[in-house]
């Protein structure tokens, strides 16, 4: 027994050092087998630096040229430099007038702190209502602009720089342009962050830039979280197909959460950010990651787990959003969901506000002219070509991942696999999502069209894209790498020259034309209000006109051209009843309930000849009030009263008992609302 156990004990004792030796030798082999990272050659570093420098220089130069063009175009169209201040302010239409009026209030304030306080406790804009204008209208751009205006000593100048401080209608520049540059910066940083061959310092820089730009974007635009929601969906799909490192994608999710909560705190506890679909999706993704099981990739079980994970994320997102809306008090953007229901045919309504929004041109489907313009500029054809090549290459990569094949860490030009680059896959998914929305609502084209330009420009200048195409075509007559390099330089050069030849003369002709914004009736109305109306007077009328009155005179109004507040939307609908078939007593009760002193009737609305059937204001009011038949089976409610805006002009009882005309011109009729009613026959 002892002799038999001896060798056994010795064998076990020898086994331990042997295994340890094997481990050490294995470690040494791994260390020796692992290639030591070589320094990138200087000529490659210089090449990368030159590309980045030239790209940034081209972007800055293009932006400056475009800014100069907009400034010159605006001057030529409105003749600003030769206008008085009141005539300039009249050119602001709709909500742009409100934004600029608050900017003026900031400049007139004795101090920045006092100006912010007056905006956050504003009771001089809408009657019977105190609003936090900074929170409700996201006036952070105006606050920043006012600080810069004071800091640069511009207060010594005669006039404020309207062109660069707020939104101007007629499409230049939109208010969203305050936020979209930060979104473009965020997308650029995300593109660099998703690259697989990025070094540590570059990755950190992209991460920090992405964090700062995401937060700034959230602060600058009240609808930013919806756009980030689409971006998060793109990243979720990218991660679902294992086309990017999961840790990287989840780091982006953390940036979303940080930006939303910090924005919630600094935007006066903005509950819209807490009930946003973005937060629900990100939380669902993080919870799903915690519940994931480690299974071998490429197996049938792994594929089933992917499907379960996808279903789990979708279910958790909807559930969490419903729960948040149950426990977090919120009113923001409820009308938006109702609008989308009606827009997509999920619901029918006679509501005036919903139907009025559906009639807006910016909320219609894109017209044929939109696609014709993109085609004539050669943008749409090349975009479709690039999108198809990238999409098909992406599908190839997805099938490889489903079959358990791994991706190459570094994709070379000779590989011809542009779909293996994670940043390209992200952009393909994101542009498809944005394009789908733009096909339904034309007003969202300003989000999609820049993506079209970016993707088309990238594609035609990318040798990898042409190489991918040549790999599919199995080109053998000419060396594919050489041809790809030639085309990546020749095609954009030809496109640029053709565009320059076709559109540059048009731009010069456009800038040479002298136009003028001529609206003497509105100027006369504003002059009369400033000279004749009491300072404490409250005016009632269409929301668009009320915005102009607030800017030009500073007088209090009953409604505003804003569509993100349910109370203001209800006010707008009630005030619009002056163009309906309601009695003088009904209109009087509505106006006095908002403490209005003066009523302004616009002849353009009262006698409107609409281009779209049923989209005139008076038609929409008749539908909402049941005075016309809009659907089969609806009952017609007969109104024994004439249209108020017509009847009040005739000056007979009972209209003269409630309203006294005090001013009129070709476009406007102003009536004083009587406080003491005299019923005379």
């Amino acid at each position: 027994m002892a002799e038999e156990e001896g060798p056994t004990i010795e064998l076990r004792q020898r086994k331990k050092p042997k295994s340890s030796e094997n481990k050490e030798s294995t470690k040494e082999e791994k260390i020796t087998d692992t290639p030591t990272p070589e320094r990138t050659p200087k000529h490659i570093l210089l090449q990368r630096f030159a590309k980045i420098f030239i790209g940034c220089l081209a972007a800055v130069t293009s932006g400056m040229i475009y800014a100069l063009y907009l400034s010159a175009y605006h001057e030529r169209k409105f003749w600003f430099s030769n206008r008085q201040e009141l005539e300039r302010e009249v050119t602001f239409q709709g909500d742009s007038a409100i934004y600029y009026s608050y900017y003026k209030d900031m400049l007139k304030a004795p101090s920045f702190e006092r100006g912010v306080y007056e905006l956050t406790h504003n009771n001089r804009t809408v009657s019977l209502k105190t609003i936090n204008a900074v929170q409700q209208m996201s006036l952070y751009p105006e606050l920043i602009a006012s600080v810069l205006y004071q800091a640069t000593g511009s207060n010594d100048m005669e006039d404020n720089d309207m062109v660069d401080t707020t939104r101007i209608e007629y499409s230049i520049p939109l208010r969203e342009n305050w936020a979209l540059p930060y979104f473009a910066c965020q997308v650029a940083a995300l593109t660099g962050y998703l690259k697989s061959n990025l070094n540590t310092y570059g990755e950190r820089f992209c991460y920090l830039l992405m964090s700062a730009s995401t937060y700034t974007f959230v602060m600058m635009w009240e609808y930013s979280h919806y756009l980030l929601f689409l971006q998060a969906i793109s990243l979720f799909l990218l991660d679902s197909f294992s086309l990017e490192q999961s840790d990287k994608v989840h780091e982006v999710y953390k940036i979303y959460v940080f930006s939303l909560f910090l924005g919630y705190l600094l935007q006066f506890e903005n509950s819209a950010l807490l009930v946003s679909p973005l937060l629900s999706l990100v939380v669902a993704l993080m919870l799903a990651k915690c519940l994931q099981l480690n299974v071998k990739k490429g197996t049938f079980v792994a594929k089933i787990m992917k499907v379960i994970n996808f279903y789990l994320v979708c279910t958790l997102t909807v559930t969490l959003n419903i729960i948040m809306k149950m426990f977090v008090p919120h009113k923001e953007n409820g009308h938006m969901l109702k609008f989308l229901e009606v827009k997509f045919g999920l619901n029918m309504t006679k509501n005036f506000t919903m139907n009025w929004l559906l009639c807006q041109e910016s909320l219609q489907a894109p017209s044929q002219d939109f696609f014709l313009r993109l085609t004539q500029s050669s943008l749409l054809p090349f975009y479709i070509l690039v999108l198809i090549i990238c999409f098909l290459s992406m599908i190839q990569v997805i099938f490889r991942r489903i079959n358990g094949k791994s991706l190459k860490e570094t994709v070379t030009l000779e590989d011809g696999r542009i779909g293996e680059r994670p940043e390209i896959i992200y952009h393909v998914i994101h542009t498809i999502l944005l394009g789908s929305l733009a096909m339904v609502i034309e007003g969202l084209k300003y989000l999609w069209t820049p993506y079209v330009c970016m993707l088309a420009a990238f594609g035609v200048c990318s040798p990898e894209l042409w190489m991918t195409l040549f790999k599919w075509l199995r080109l053998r007559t000419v060396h594919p790498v050489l041809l790809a390099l030639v085309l990546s330089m020749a095609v954009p050069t030809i496109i640029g020259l053709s565009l320059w030849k076709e559109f540059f003369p048009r731009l010069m002709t456009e800038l040479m034309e002298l136009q003028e914004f001529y609206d003497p009736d509105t100027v006369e109305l504003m002059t009369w209000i400033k000279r004749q109306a009491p300072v404490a007077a409250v005016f009632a009328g269409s929301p668009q006109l009320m915005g102009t009155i607030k800017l030009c005179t500073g007088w209090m109004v009953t409604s505003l051209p804003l569509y993100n507040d349910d109370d203001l939307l209800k006010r707008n609908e009630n005030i619009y009843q002056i163009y309906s078939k309601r009695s003088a007593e009904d209109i009087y009760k509505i106006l006095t309930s908002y403490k209005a002193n003066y009523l302004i009737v616009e002849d353009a609305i009262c006698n409107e000849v609409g281009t779209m059937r049923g989209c005139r204001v008076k038609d929409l009011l008749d539908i909402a009030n049941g005075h016309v038949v809009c659907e089969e089976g609806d009952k017609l409610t007969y109104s024994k009263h004439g249209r108020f805006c017509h009847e009040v002009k005739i000056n007979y009882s009972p209209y003269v008992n409630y309203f006294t005309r005090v001013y009129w011109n070709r476009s406007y009729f102003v009536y004083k609302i009587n406080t003491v009613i005299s019923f005379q026959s």
Side-chain angles (χ1 to χ4, degrees), residues 42-112:
K42 289 185 178 181
H43 69 278
I44 296 181
L45 290 175
L46 290 175
Q47 185 180 9
R48 291 178 181 175
F49 175 78
K51 286 183 179 179
I52 295 174
F53 177 77
I54 294 174
C56 293
L57 182 63
V60 172
T61 304
S62 301
M64 293 179 66
I65 293 175
Y66 186 63
L68 293 174
Y69 160 74
L70 288 181
S71 178
Y73 178 77
H74 189 262
E75 171 64 24
R76 291 284 180 175
K77 184 165 186 174
F78 294 102
W79 206 24
F80 250 44
S81 60
N82 294 278
R83 290 289 183 183
Q84 298 179 359
E85 183 179 1
L86 179 59
E87 292 175 326
R88 296 180 184 183
E89 291 177 347
V90 166
T91 62
F92 289 86
Q93 303 291 320
D95 57 348
S96 61
I98 299 298
Y99 286 110
Y100 187 70
S101 69
Y102 288 130
Y103 171 70
K104 281 181 59 179
D105 293 342
M106 282 297 301
L107 297 184
K108 293 178 181 178
S111 65
F112 178 78

Side-chain angles (χ1 to χ4, degrees), residues 251-437:
E251 287 297 323
V252 181
Y253 296 156
K254 293 178 184 177
I255 293 177
Y256 291 151
V257 175
F258 171 79
S259 300
L260 288 176
F261 277 108
L262 191 59
Y264 167 77
L265 295 175
L266 296 182
Q267 287 184 353
F268 306 92
E269 298 182 356
N270 185 4
S271 58
L273 298 180
L274 294 184
V275 298
S276 67
L278 173 63
L279 183 61
S280 301
L281 174 62
V282 171
V283 174
L285 288 167
M286 291 182 171
L287 290 175
K289 184 183 180 183
C290 297
L291 299 175
Q292 276 184 348
L293 299 176
N294 292 325
V295 294
K296 187 178 180 181
K297 294 182 179 180
T299 61
F300 178 76
V301 177
K303 296 175 184 178
I304 295 297
M305 291 302 298
K306 283 288 184 183
V307 176
I308 295 175
N309 181 72
F310 187 88
Y311 175 78
L312 180 63
V313 169
C314 296
T315 306
L316 281 175
T317 301
V318 176
T319 304
L320 289 173
N321 195 254
I322 294 174
I323 293 175
M324 292 295 290
K325 289 181 177 179
M326 289 175 57
F327 291 97
V328 177
H330 69 287
K331 296 181 180 179
E332 291 81 4
N333 304 326
H335 63 284
M336 183 181 295
L337 297 177
K338 296 178 183 177
F339 166 77
L340 292 176
E341 289 179 0
V342 179
K343 177 70 176 178
F344 293 110
L346 302 177
N347 197 0
M348 297 292 293
T349 182
K350 295 181 181 179
N351 181 267
F352 169 80
T353 301
M354 291 298 105
N355 289 327
W356 184 83
L357 290 174
L358 287 171
C359 286
Q360 298 306 300
E361 185 178 354
S362 61
L363 298 177
Q364 301 291 323
S367 62
Q368 293 182 355
D369 294 338
F370 170 65
F371 298 103
L372 184 62
R373 290 193 301 269
L374 294 183
T375 303
Q376 289 176 343
S377 63
S378 304
L379 179 60
L380 190 60
F382 282 101
Y383 166 75
I384 294 175
L385 173 65
V386 173
L387 182 62
I388 290 175
I389 295 175
C390 292
F391 181 77
L392 293 178
S393 181
M394 180 187 74
I395 297 299
Q396 283 184 333
V397 175
I398 291 175
F399 276 109
R400 290 195 193 101
R401 294 298 296 155
I402 292 176
N403 294 328
K405 297 180 181 179
S406 59
L407 299 178
K408 294 185 64 175
E409 293 184 2
T410 304
V411 181
T412 61
L413 178 60
E414 291 79 6
D415 294 330
R417 296 180 183 177
I418 195 170
E420 286 196 5
R421 294 172 57 179
E423 69 274 16
I424 301 301
I425 301 174
Y426 154 72
H427 284 298
V428 169
I429 299 174
H430 202 182
T431 189
I432 291 175
L433 292 177
L434 292 176
S436 302
L437 289 179

Side-chain angles (χ1 to χ4, degrees), residues 131-155:
I131 62 175
N132 185 341
V134 178
Q135 175 190 5
Q136 186 164 343
M137 302 179 64
S138 296
L139 294 179
Y140 298 96
E142 280 69 25
L143 298 182
I144 296 173
S146 64
V147 171
L148 295 176
Y149 185 83
Q150 301 287 358
T152 55
S154 301
N155 50 344

